[in-house]
Amino acid sequence: MKIRLETTPDVTETEVVIRCRDLDDETEQLLSTIRLFANTIIAKKDQKTFILKPENICYFDTQENKVLLFTDDGCYETPLKMYEIEEKFKNAGFLRVSRYSIINLRKVSYLEPLFNGRMVAVMTNDDKVVITRLYIQALKTALGM
């Protein structure tokens, strides 16, 4: 197997191209590894690095210039920016609900209305995430309301 890496300053998104004569076991294993990496997120907690699956993440939140992600098990820090998270998980059931928060719609226990047209999403880990007025329509559309 040959591996070739090209770095080009004008590229906006990393692209992986695999050229092979036949799809053999080695190539299948390589594809599995790439898919696993593409559908996970790297996060840190207590100076340890974790590889988390999106379905285990309740929500992302920005606090003190850090992007944190919350699961049913706790809080982790990720080096990704909110716009990167939004792009990476846009087709995975995640929705931006404020300037500072992105929620996993499958981890919402229930929604409650708040004053001034806002709502709160109560997550499966019992955390509450405020949904601002700007994002209410996107939430309703995502939920088919």
Side-chain angles (χ1 to χ4, degrees), residues 91-136:
N91 296 321
F94 285 81
L95 181 71
R96 185 179 282 265
V97 293
S98 74
R99 182 176 175 199
Y100 304 104
S101 302
I102 296 172
I103 62 171
N104 182 348
L105 293 171
R106 290 182 295 280
K107 290 286 193 169
V108 175
S109 291
Y110 59 93
L111 299 166
E112 287 181 341
L114 290 176
F115 59 92
N116 292 337
R118 299 180 305 157
M119 295 182 86
V120 66
V122 179
M123 309 306 291
T124 57
N125 64 356
D126 293 326
D127 287 355
K128 294 181 178 183
V129 180
V130 174
I131 304 163
T132 60
R133 289 181 298 174
L134 182 63
Y135 295 92
I136 293 289

Side-chain angles (χ1 to χ4, degrees), residues 64-108:
E64 299 175 4
N65 293 324
K66 295 179 183 177
V67 177
L68 305 175
L69 65 88
F70 296 83
T71 67
D72 290 331
D73 301 327
C75 175
Y76 301 80
E77 184 178 345
T78 180
L80 294 175
K81 304 291 182 206
M82 291 298 271
Y83 72 89
E84 294 172 322
I85 293 165
E86 189 174 22
E87 181 65 28
K88 183 172 182 165
F89 297 116
K90 68 181 174 187
N91 296 321
F94 285 81
L95 181 71
R96 185 179 282 265
V97 293
S98 74
R99 182 176 175 199
Y100 304 104
S101 302
I102 296 172
I103 62 171
N104 182 348
L105 293 171
R106 290 182 295 280
K107 290 286 193 169
V108 175

